[in-house]
Amino acid sequence: VNPKDLDAKYAYIQVTHVTPYLEDKELEERKTDFEKSHNIRRFVFETPFTVSGKRQGGVEEQCKKRTVLTSRSRASRSNCVVKVLSDVQELHGPASF
């Protein structure tokens, strides 16, 4: 991403990998890998962090933030650009890995 191409009035996030996010009911309805990877509106990615804010820490400090993105339109997991409609973040401590 070239910072000169970005508009200062918008906040940008660059995600390198997302996974389709399907709830239990959707998993029951979508039987094949194709169905589980296409016509998707929600995606998830996880970000590791430590409680202290240090880059690395012991197992007791390691946590993760799970972010579920909902896109404006349905897409396949291979689309390059999808506009995000909303996001929900969940914080998970060491005991919930």
Side-chain angles (χ1 to χ4, degrees), residues 11 24 34 49 70 87 92:
D24 292 338
F34 179 84
F49 69 97
T70 302
D87 68 277
H92 297 273

Side-chain angles (χ1 to χ4, degrees), residues 47-94:
T47 308
F49 69 97
T50 61
V51 176
S52 66
K54 295 188 290 186
R55 286 181 166 248
Q56 296 180 355
V59 174
E60 66 280 354
E61 285 189 90
Q62 296 175 6
C63 301
K64 67 180 173 182
K65 176 172 62 173
R66 177 177 291 149
T67 304
V68 178
L69 304 172
T70 302
S71 64
R72 185 171 289 169
S73 58
R74 296 186 179 276
S76 71
R77 71 186 303 171
S78 61
N79 281 38
C80 293
V81 177
V82 177
K83 293 195 181 231
V84 174
L85 183 64
S86 67
D87 68 277
V88 176
Q89 297 179 355
E90 304 170 357
L91 299 178
H92 297 273

Side-chain angles (χ1 to χ4, degrees), residues 12-65:
Y12 294 92
I13 181 172
Q14 181 176 357
V15 178
T16 57
H17 174 81
V18 293
T19 303
Y21 180 80
L22 302 170
E23 293 182 353
D24 292 338
K25 182 180 178 188
E26 290 175 291
L27 284 171
E28 290 175 10
E29 295 170 356
R30 295 174 183 250
K31 303 290 184 201
T32 67
D33 288 337
F34 179 84
E35 291 172 330
K36 293 176 184 175
S37 299
H38 289 78
N39 203 21
I40 306 291
R41 286 194 64 213
R42 288 180 299 174
F43 300 87
V44 64
F45 68 94
E46 295 177 340
T47 308
F49 69 97
T50 61
V51 176
S52 66
K54 295 188 290 186
R55 286 181 166 248
Q56 296 180 355
V59 174
E60 66 280 354
E61 285 189 90
Q62 296 175 6
C63 301
K64 67 180 173 182
K65 176 172 62 173

